[in-house]
């Protein structure tokens, strides 16, 4: 029996042979379209703001800051975006980030991303930024924080998009370096909602950063971490047990361990899954073979996200469109994915109630 879900306020109820499905709409099993998806309020919880830099913006910022790039035009930049794994992507990602030098650069980057979100039903964004990528180049941590937060404030006023910033530690660096970054961020913690962990997963397990995550929690910061993208399911367990994360970024390798799947279902821990990214980095062979909807149908609190959209061929709406085309995503699945993203966000309870009610209303009105 295929599992189904409630897309109502509160914890999703899994339909098993012994349960009765509640408030089911007549068209829930129909393949949805993008008009329906765009009408649903949703949050993007896994977006690296540096990874939203389109080639055209990269070239403009390089010219603004008198930085020589090995690309003559945007087409040449896009041609370089051919990856075989996570590390091959990171190698070019960090080179491209070098064009970000000033507060204005980070502002332009972030406001361009928010402009792309506008009109797609995206009501909440919680972007990551990698301060160590910039401080290692001599750029004070205050620079990216000022530019990004100013853009998030303008995005709320201009587009009605709520936002929160997450500071990510680079896991290929030491925990000592992460502590230094946390200390440097101390004056700006009012602008930071939480900490995350990204970069090269293999060989850099969660336990490497247990102490710095505990220190961040003591400062009142939320916690998320990349786990189970290329790394094993045990990294998901480590992120939960040692880093005390509120949500797991990626998490698609959870299926390697049934006990991990059962735990995620029971706790309703959000997974911020990134379909296009997983295909681009060869974590899954094709979009048609991605496990995002099978995870959803097994009762996990899955969300859909774009990760590094400028590098991986699409933004949040493109990921949804791809799932319609290749996975025949239904209206019920789309509504549940959007509700999951709201539940999994760090937005206020009042915001969550409002958006979840809107999801229920859209689903009911459109059948």
């Amino acid at each position: 029996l295929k599992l189904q879900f409630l897309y109502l306020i509160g914890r999703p109820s899994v339909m098993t042979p012994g349960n009765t499905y509640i408030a089911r709409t007549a068209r829930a099993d129909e393949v949805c379209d993008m008009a329906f998806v765009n009408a649903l309020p949703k949050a993007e919880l896994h977006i690296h703001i540096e990874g939203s830099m389109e080639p055209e913006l990269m070239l403009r910022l390089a010219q603004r800051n008198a930085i020589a790039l090995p690309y003559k035009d945007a087409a040449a930049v896009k041609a370089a975006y051919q990856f075989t794994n996570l590390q091959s992507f990171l190698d070019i990602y960090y080179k491209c980030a070098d064009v970000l030098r000033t507060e204005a650069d980070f502002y332009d980057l972030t406001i361009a991303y928010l402009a792309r979100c506008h009109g797609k039903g995206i009501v909440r964004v919680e972007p990551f930024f990698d301060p160590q990528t910039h401080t290692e180049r001599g750029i004070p941590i205050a620079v990216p924080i000022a530019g990004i937060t100013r853009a998030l404030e303008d995005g709320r006023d201009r587009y009605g998009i709520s936002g929160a910033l997450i500071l990510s530690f680079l896991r290929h660096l030491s925990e000592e370096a992460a502590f230094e970054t946390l200390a440097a961020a101390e004056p700006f913690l009012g602008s930071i909602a939480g900490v995350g962990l990204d970069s090269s997963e293999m060989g850099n397990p969660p336990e490497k950063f247990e102490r710095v995550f505990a220190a961040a929690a003591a400062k009142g910061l939320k916690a998320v971490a990349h786990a189970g993208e290329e790394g094993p399911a045990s990294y998901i367990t480590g992120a939960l047990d040692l880093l005390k994360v509120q949500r797991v970024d990626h998490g698609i390798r959870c299926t390697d361990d049934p006990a991990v799947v059962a735990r995620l279902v029971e706790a309703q821990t959000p997974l911020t899954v990134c379909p296009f990214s997983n295909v681009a980095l060869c974590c899954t062979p094709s979009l048609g073979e991605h496990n995002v909807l099978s995870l959803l149908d097994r009762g996990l609190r899955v969300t859909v996200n774009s990760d590094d959209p400028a590098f991986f061929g699409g933004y949040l709406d493109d990921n949804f469109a791809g799932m319609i085309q290749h996975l025949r995503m239904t209206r019920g699945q789309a509504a549940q994915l959007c509700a999951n993203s709201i539940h999994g966000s760090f937005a206020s309870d009042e915001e969550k109630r409002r958006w979840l009610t809107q999801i229920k209303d859209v689903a009911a009105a459109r059948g």
Side-chain angles (χ1 to χ4, degrees):
L1 177 65
K2 184 179 181 180
L3 299 181
Q4 306 285 358
F5 299 88
L6 269 178
Y7 36 89
L8 296 174
I9 298 174
R11 174 175 170 165
S13 299
V14 179
M15 177 180 171
T16 64
N19 290 340
T20 301
Y21 193 89
I22 303 171
R24 181 173 176 76
T25 64
R27 301 177 65 189
D29 286 334
E30 290 185 15
V31 176
C32 69
D33 54 38
M34 285 306 296
F36 180 75
V37 171
N38 287 338
L40 294 166
K42 60 187 71 68
E44 177 146 47
L45 307 179
H46 190 149
I47 167 71
H48 298 269
I49 199 64
E50 296 93 341
S52 69
M53 182 163 49
E54 290 292 328
E56 293 81 4
L57 178 59
M58 184 192 305
L59 294 170
R60 288 201 302 274
L61 296 183
Q63 183 177 32
R64 175 194 289 176
N65 295 318
I67 297 169
L69 292 176
Y71 313 111
K72 65 178 182 179
D73 54 28
V77 177
K78 292 178 181 178
Y81 293 172
Q82 301 296 322
F83 313 115
T84 57
N85 55 27
L86 177 59
Q87 191 58 53
S88 66
F89 155 67
L90 291 173
D91 290 342
I92 191 169
Y93 172 86
Y94 293 129
K95 291 179 183 177
C96 293
D98 187 47
V99 303
L100 294 164
R101 299 293 180 91
T102 69
E103 178 182 333
D105 296 339
F106 287 95
Y107 177 90
D108 290 349
L109 172 70
T110 307
I111 204 68
Y113 162 70
L114 294 170
R116 284 181 172 270
C117 293
H118 181 56
K120 309 295 174 58
I122 300 172
V123 295
R124 174 78 176 182
V125 298
E126 298 184 359
F128 306 118
F129 82 112
D130 294 331
Q132 290 160 295
T133 298
H134 312 299
T135 55
E136 286 198 332
R137 298 182 289 117
I139 297 171
I141 195 171
V143 172
I145 292 175
I148 297 168
T149 55
R150 184 161 60 88
L152 290 175
E153 292 167 0
D154 286 353
R156 178 188 286 270
D157 295 339
R158 191 178 305 176
Y159 304 122
I161 299 173
S162 168
L165 185 59
I166 296 177
L167 181 158
S168 285
F169 303 120
L170 298 180
R171 66 196 311 155
H172 68 274
L173 300 178
S174 68
E175 187 181 44
E176 180 182 355
F179 268 112
E180 292 171 357
T181 298
L182 183 61
E186 184 83 33
F188 312 102
L189 293 187
S191 299
I192 297 171
V195 295
L197 186 65
D198 61 24
S199 188
S200 308
E201 187 177 10
M202 296 302 292
N204 295 294
E207 53 263 33
K208 180 178 172 182
F209 296 92
E210 181 177 1
R211 294 182 308 145
V212 74
F213 267 73
K219 297 179 185 297
L221 296 173
K222 305 286 189 181
V224 303
H226 287 45
E229 178 187 12
E230 288 187 330
S234 62
Y235 279 22
I236 298 174
T237 301
L240 294 169
D241 291 342
L242 303 178
L243 306 187
K244 312 297 184 184
V245 298
Q246 281 83 43
R247 61 182 185 237
V248 174
D249 298 316
H250 290 295
I252 58 172
R253 292 284 302 276
C254 66
T255 53
D256 293 351
D257 187 338
V260 174
V261 172
R263 177 179 181 178
L264 292 171
V265 171
E266 175 61 27
Q268 285 296 285
T269 304
L271 300 184
T272 64
V273 177
C274 306
F276 276 24
S277 166
N278 296 151
V279 175
L281 299 184
C282 304
C283 296
T284 191
S286 69
L287 195 56
E289 298 170 83
H290 201 287
N291 65 357
V292 57
L293 294 185
S294 66
L295 292 173
L296 181 74
D297 289 346
R298 292 173 70 173
L300 286 90
R301 182 163 274 176
V302 178
T303 70
V304 176
N305 308 271
S306 65
D307 201 359
D308 298 276
F311 293 84
F312 299 145
Y315 288 76
L316 181 53
D317 58 313
D318 299 308
N319 276 263
F320 273 110
M323 291 165 60
I324 293 172
Q325 180 180 356
H326 295 279
L327 295 173
R328 296 185 62 78
M329 178 177 64
T330 67
R331 287 171 172 259
Q333 289 170 328
Q336 186 63 57
L337 287 165
C338 292
N340 286 350
S341 73
I342 300 301
H343 280 296
S345 75
F346 297 143
S348 68
D349 289 343
E350 190 280 326
E351 286 177 311
K352 289 184 179 182
R353 282 193 293 268
R354 182 172 73 252
W355 296 327
L356 289 166
T357 298
Q358 290 170 0
I359 291 173
K360 184 175 67 172
D361 291 346
V362 169
R366 295 174 180 247

